[in-house]
């Protein structure tokens, strides 16, 4: 915490840190080279998006491979995806997709059995719940009614042996979740209304035509499903650039597709900011840096093509630029200021994101560190966020957020921002409570995680402990155990934890977070004989 005086930021590589040619530098160089080679981003395959391509665009290459991906990804209980209510959206999409394959005249026993198990999971637990207990994933109130209707229509349209095998009452929506919003949006689309830009991400359930559709459009709403839905209606010749984009994603994924994509700016901002913050020497190509400079524009910057600008991506891009010696004026963030703090999207967000506000604190704090004489509005905002973030802290000491399923991510974002730029007693006490919560929730094997220990969540927990000036003996012991966990043989899977239409995994960002934690922990656990580049993230698989 700055204790009333904003810090002068020293170069983490030249100011007492290990030499710039340490092993972390080589690992970071490889990671950044991968970002340059795959400018649309590195995201694990999506059950939801792949299911939409199976259902809506069977004409695209890789159709059979996508069906195989869905069949392989079904859980023993018949559902798809993560635990709890997070399984609802992917299970609806996969079940609907396999029903579409059956409707094409296929009668394979394994397809029918998979659909039957998916329907049983939906009717048994996933839809038999109250909407208030479902996770706040984006547009759930549009996607779930649309897919329930589609599944019921497909079931009603089956005939012959398939109809007999899958005969059951129609699916019903969770209590408290109705079709009214979906109907209202579709009615507005039919009437020619211009919808908010962020709804482009969900065009596949809106019966809509993108307003910016045309031959040069790369992707609709950073979504393969939305893009495929448009091309299916308009024809591939209407969007040759979009068609090429989908073919590339399909080729790279062997049939399945990720979501969101593209996430060019999002990925580069999070990777570069996280690595540099941890003292990893990075020297990204000019073309990579140039994608972040739009953060200084009047409206900020967007996660990727096809999405609206947002305060979260803008803030992290600004933080990355500042840490790389290319600071930019963060005045674009004022468009997102509200009475509660800062919103993610200007004028159109339901809910409050602590991680967005933590990242805004980073960006504004960086600006004040470089410009102590800046307009007093910046200082007032930093003072305010130093109180707002602790005010949203949970009673246990952790934070929860609407853009990530794990409290360890939200807690790391808040703690790092408060340690670097927070002011006053509220920030100091908040960091200490967070560190105690992290210490108290370490698992016996040295890991941390919401549902099970993961390398990603362990990395966030380590970053919290390594930033917190409290209980050094306990922290040393916990860091040693957590660091050891990250170096165990990498047979574990990365579960999807980031909020999208379903939970997803941005693999390059996860790798950067683990590398950063290993770099910091290695400096604290000198003499263990462990190399930074041995961290388990390198060979870890990504769960679907």
């Amino acid at each position: 915490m700055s204790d009333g005086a904003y810090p002068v930021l020293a170069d983490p590589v030249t100011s007492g840190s290990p030499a710039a040619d340490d092993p972390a530098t080589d690992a970071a160089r490889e990671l950044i080279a991968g970002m340059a080679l795959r400018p649309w981003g590195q995201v694990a395959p999506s059950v939801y998006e792949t299911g939409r391509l199976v259902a809506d665009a069977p004409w695209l290459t890789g159709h059979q491979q996508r069906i195989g991906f869905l069949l392989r990804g079904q859980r023993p209980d018949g559902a798809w995806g993560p635990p709890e209510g997070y399984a609802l959206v992917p299970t609806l999409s996969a079940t609907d997709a396999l029903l579409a394959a059956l409707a094409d005249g296929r009668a394979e026993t394994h397809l029918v059995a998979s659909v039957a198990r998916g329907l049983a999971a939906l009717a048994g637990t996933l839809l038999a719940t109250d909407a208030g207990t479902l996770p706040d994933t984006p547009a759930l109130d549009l996607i779930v009614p649309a897919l329930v209707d589609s599944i019921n229509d497909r079931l009603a349209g089956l005939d012959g042996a398939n109809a007999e095998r899958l005969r059951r009452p129609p699916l019903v929506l969770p209590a408290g979740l109705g079709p009214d919003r979906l109907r209202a949006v579709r009615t507005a689309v039919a009437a020619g209304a211009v919808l908010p830009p962020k709804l482009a991400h969900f065009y596949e359930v809106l019966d809509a035509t993108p307003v910016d559709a045309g031959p040069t459009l790369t992707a609709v709403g950073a979504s393969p499903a939305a893009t495929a839905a448009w091309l299916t209606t308009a024809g591939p010749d209407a969007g040759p650039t979009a068609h090429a984009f989908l073919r590339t994603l399909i080729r790279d994924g062997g049939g399945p597709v990720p979501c969101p994509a593209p996430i060019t700016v999002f990925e580069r901002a999070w990777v570069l900011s996280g690595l540099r913050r941890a003292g990893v020497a990075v020297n990204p190509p000019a073309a990579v840096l140039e994608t972040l400079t739009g953060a200084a524009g009047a409206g900020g910057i967007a996660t990727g093509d096809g999405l609206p600008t947002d305060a979260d991506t803008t803030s992290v891009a600004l933080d990355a630029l500042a840490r790389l010696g290319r600071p930019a004026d963060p005045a674009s963030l004022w468009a997102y200021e509200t009475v509660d703090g800062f919103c993610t999207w200007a004028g159109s967000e339901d809910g409050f994101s602590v991680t967005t506000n933590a990242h805004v604190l980073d960006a504004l704090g960086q600006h004040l560190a470089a410009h102590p004489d800046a307009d007093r509005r910046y200082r007032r905002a930093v003072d305010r966020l130093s109180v707002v973030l602790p005010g949203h802290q949970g009673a246990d000491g952790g934070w929860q957020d609407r853009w990530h399923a794990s409290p360890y991510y939200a807690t790391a974002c808040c703690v790092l921002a408060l340690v670097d730029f927070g002011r006053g007693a509220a920030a100091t006490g908040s960091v200490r409570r967070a560190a105690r919560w992290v210490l108290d929730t370490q698992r016996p094997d040295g890991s941390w995680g919401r549902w099970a220990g993961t390398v990603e969540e362990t990395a966030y927990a380590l970053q919290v402990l390594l930033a917190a000036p409290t209980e050094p003996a306990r922290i040393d012991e916990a860091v040693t155990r957590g660091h050891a966990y990250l170096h165990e043989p990498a047979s574990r899977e990365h579960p999807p934890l980031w909020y999208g239409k379903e939970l997803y995994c941005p693999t390059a960002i996860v790798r950067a977070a683990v590398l950063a934690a290993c770099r910091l922990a290695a400096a604290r656990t000198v003499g263990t004989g462990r190399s930074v580049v041995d961290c388990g993230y390198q060979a870890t698989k990504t769960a679907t």
Side-chain angles (χ1 to χ4, degrees), residues 222-275:
S223 165
T227 306
W230 169 57
L231 289 177
T232 297
T233 301
D237 292 341
T241 304
H243 190 195
F245 163 73
L246 284 180
R247 289 200 305 269
T248 300
L249 289 183
I250 289 167
R251 180 201 66 204
D252 290 350
V257 292
C259 188
I263 59 164
T264 308
V265 180
F266 176 72
E267 178 179 270
R268 293 175 178 186
W270 261 253
V271 167
L272 294 174
S273 172
L275 290 176

Side-chain angles (χ1 to χ4, degrees), residues 128-226:
T129 186
D130 186 277
T133 65
L134 291 173
D136 183 28
T137 50
L140 180 138
D141 58 342
L142 298 175
I143 293 171
V144 172
L147 291 182
V148 167
D149 280 350
S150 180
I151 288 172
N152 287 337
D153 289 345
R154 294 189 197 281
L155 286 171
L158 288 176
D159 55 21
N162 287 343
E164 188 62 32
R165 293 173 187 169
L166 297 174
R167 189 183 306 278
R168 64 190 58 242
L171 297 177
V172 296
L173 291 172
L177 180 63
D180 292 348
R181 184 168 180 242
L182 176 65
R183 290 173 181 168
V185 173
R186 285 177 169 174
T187 299
V189 168
V194 177
L195 299 177
K198 69 177 183 178
L199 282 181
H201 194 53
F202 313 101
Y203 271 126
E204 73 277 3
V205 299
L206 301 183
D207 296 336
T209 298
V211 295
D212 56 353
T216 62
L217 179 68
T218 299
V220 178
S223 165

Side-chain angles (χ1 to χ4, degrees), residues 163-526:
E164 188 62 32
R165 293 173 187 169
L166 297 174
R167 189 183 306 278
R168 64 190 58 242
L171 297 177
V172 296
L173 291 172
L177 180 63
D180 292 348
R181 184 168 180 242
L182 176 65
R183 290 173 181 168
V185 173
R186 285 177 169 174
T187 299
V189 168
V194 177
L195 299 177
K198 69 177 183 178
L199 282 181
H201 194 53
F202 313 101
Y203 271 126
E204 73 277 3
V205 299
L206 301 183
D207 296 336
T209 298
V211 295
D212 56 353
T216 62
L217 179 68
T218 299
V220 178
S223 165
T227 306
W230 169 57
L231 289 177
T232 297
T233 301
D237 292 341
T241 304
H243 190 195
F245 163 73
L246 284 180
R247 289 200 305 269
T248 300
L249 289 183
I250 289 167
R251 180 201 66 204
D252 290 350
V257 292
C259 188
I263 59 164
T264 308
V265 180
F266 176 72
E267 178 179 270
R268 293 175 178 186
W270 261 253
V271 167
L272 294 174
S273 172
L275 290 176
R276 188 63 172 166
R277 187 171 213 155
V280 180
V282 294
N283 185 27
V288 170
L289 273 178
E290 286 167 5
T291 59
L292 306 184
T293 57
I301 198 166
T303 287
D305 291 342
L307 291 175
T309 61
D310 68 85
D312 203 24
T313 307
T314 300
S315 296
V316 181
L318 287 165
D319 182 73
L321 289 170
R323 294 180 188 277
L324 290 164
R326 298 183 60 169
D329 191 332
S332 60
L333 291 174
W334 299 130
Y336 304 93
E337 190 173 25
T338 71
V339 296
D340 299 316
F342 288 78
C343 59
T344 305
W345 290 291
S348 59
E349 182 178 12
D350 300 324
F352 181 89
S353 168
V354 295
T355 60
T356 293
N357 282 267
H359 293 145
V360 171
L361 177 56
D362 283 331
L364 299 183
Q366 290 276 15
H367 184 67
L368 279 170
H371 303 281
D373 58 346
D375 188 294
R376 293 182 64 184
R377 185 177 185 184
Y378 291 98
R379 184 176 295 273
R380 288 195 299 269
V382 167
D383 289 344
R384 182 181 176 205
L385 290 173
S386 299
V387 175
V388 166
L389 290 176
H392 285 268
Q393 190 172 19
D396 60 3
W399 277 270
Q400 296 278 354
D401 192 56
R402 61 194 316 253
W403 301 128
H404 201 284
S406 173
Y408 296 100
Y409 171 76
T411 301
C413 291
C414 293
V415 164
L416 294 179
L418 290 170
V419 166
D420 283 354
F421 304 111
R423 291 168 58 85
T428 303
S430 184
V431 168
R432 292 184 182 278
R433 290 193 300 277
R436 285 195 295 270
W437 171 71
V438 170
L439 287 169
D440 290 344
T441 56
Q442 189 172 24
R443 293 174 177 269
D445 64 357
S447 69
W448 284 267
R450 172 174 175 171
W451 292 304
T454 71
V455 294
E456 180 184 358
E457 292 168 282
T458 299
Y460 299 139
L462 287 174
Q463 290 180 40
V464 170
L465 296 181
L466 291 163
T470 184
E471 301 191 56
R474 284 191 72 194
I475 286 178
D476 284 345
E477 192 270 339
V479 167
T480 298
R481 293 172 57 221
H483 194 200
Y485 175 84
L486 293 183
H487 287 79
E488 291 176 2
S491 59
R492 300 177 294 267
E493 292 186 336
H494 283 315
L497 293 168
W498 295 69
Y499 268 43
K501 301 176 194 180
E502 62 182 335
L503 295 187
Y504 73 97
C505 178
T507 54
I509 293 174
V510 171
R511 288 170 181 164
V514 177
L515 175 58
C518 283
R519 168 68 166 74
L520 293 167
R524 183 130 176 178
T525 56
V526 175

